Amino acid sequence: MSGHTTLAPAGTAAKRKEARTVILSSYLGSTIEFYDFLLYATAAAVAFPKVFFTGTDEWVGVVAAYATFAAGYVARPLGGVIFGHFGDKVGRKGMLIISMAMMGIASTLIGLIPGAGVIGPWGAVILVLLRVCQGIAVGGEWGGAALMALEHADPKRRGFAASFVNAGAPTGAVLGTVVMGIFSALPQDAFLAWGWRVPFLLSFVLLIVGMFVRLRVSESPIFAEAVAKEDAQGTKRKIPLLDVLRRPKALIMIMFAGAAGFGLQVVLPTFSVTYAVSKGAPQQGVLYAFAGASAISIIFVLLGGRLSDRLGRRPVMIAGLALFIAYLFPMFGMLGSGNVGLVFVAFTVALILHSCLYGPLAAFVSEQFGTTSRYTGAAVGYQLATLIGAGFTPGIIAGLYKDSGQSIIPVVVFLSVMALVSIVFIALTRESKNNDLTTVR
């Protein structure tokens, strides 16, 4: 245990410096993990239907590619359980190192899978298996990164500190989309033959950078103190998952409160990109529009977290969802215009509104659990929310769009209902910004 429970330096200035280092490492680590995970979303929209599902109708291939995309979300709760258990038993830091290695290797191997023209359906099978590995890795990554930032932070700035982890998602999306956009400028044959593979192969380089950063941070002081207290009292360590399941209300509330945020988030780089391109906008322009909008949204994710430190997590999150519902029809109107400028505006406004929910979400989820079960509870709750909110949403709305004769109305209705459900569950969940994180319960 001693290798994982080193306390932060005692001096106030040293503690603040350590907190900044940990927050930065969580942000960079999250960026790298989400570069890998969300790169798959872009590839599922622009490459996988033609590489692994050849010989089918265009939208049938899109739906099939999104089905493999969903496999990663199905696996994320499993990652939360596995990494959460050991993160609550052994420590946060070690689990973050393992999850990053797993993600980097799986993503690199995706770039090496032969297409359907070489190995037939086996390419899709291998794709799904590696996507599951990605899902397990990111399922363990988020909880650990969020807790490291949260548990090192000043109690009055926890929302802001934890929001850096969620800011890693749009940052990773920017990197992935820009890199994929560069290679999508190749002639179509070259892009489908090898161009789409290069961004995945670059994952190995990012893995090396991420490992260097992760190895330099200390263990969470709150976790170390909680373990030391239990050891001093001779308290028998509980199984974290069983401890969480004994009080399932928090898990259920988090799952449905966060679902819409992930559903709306994943619609943008998947269905929305495909929709905009199908309406006449150039593929590379749409990818760059999304990348630019994601870059702008990074600052708003951080602002959302900071605002929640002042106003509370719930009001900020509910406001973001309500505004997003009102914005859905105008958003798809601009996405379907064929004009790259309007597509950029559509993505930008959507991601700014989404940031009101996404910024406070890391703190909101993590603050619901006690220290020695917090990794498990936060990771499993968060990943179940991603599963029901994002895992199947691209495939469902692509199917609704296709079956309705390519009408956008069923898509808007589906997303609106999802957002309303999350609003209800956020409203029913107790405010958490003033919770005492040192309480072991």
Side-chain angles (χ1 to χ4, degrees), residues 205-221:
V205 177
L206 294 177
L207 172 61
I208 295 172
V209 175
M211 284 296 187
F212 176 78
V213 173
R214 279 275 157 87
L215 289 167
R216 295 171 65 87
V217 300
S218 65
E219 182 57 84
S220 159

Side-chain angles (χ1 to χ4, degrees), residues 223-245:
F223 172 77
E225 289 167 7
V227 171
K229 183 178 179 180
E230 287 190 340
D231 291 344
Q233 295 174 345
T235 305
K236 184 179 180 180
R237 301 291 301 280
K238 300 175 182 177
I239 298 175
L241 181 61
L242 294 181
D243 194 36
V244 170
L245 294 178

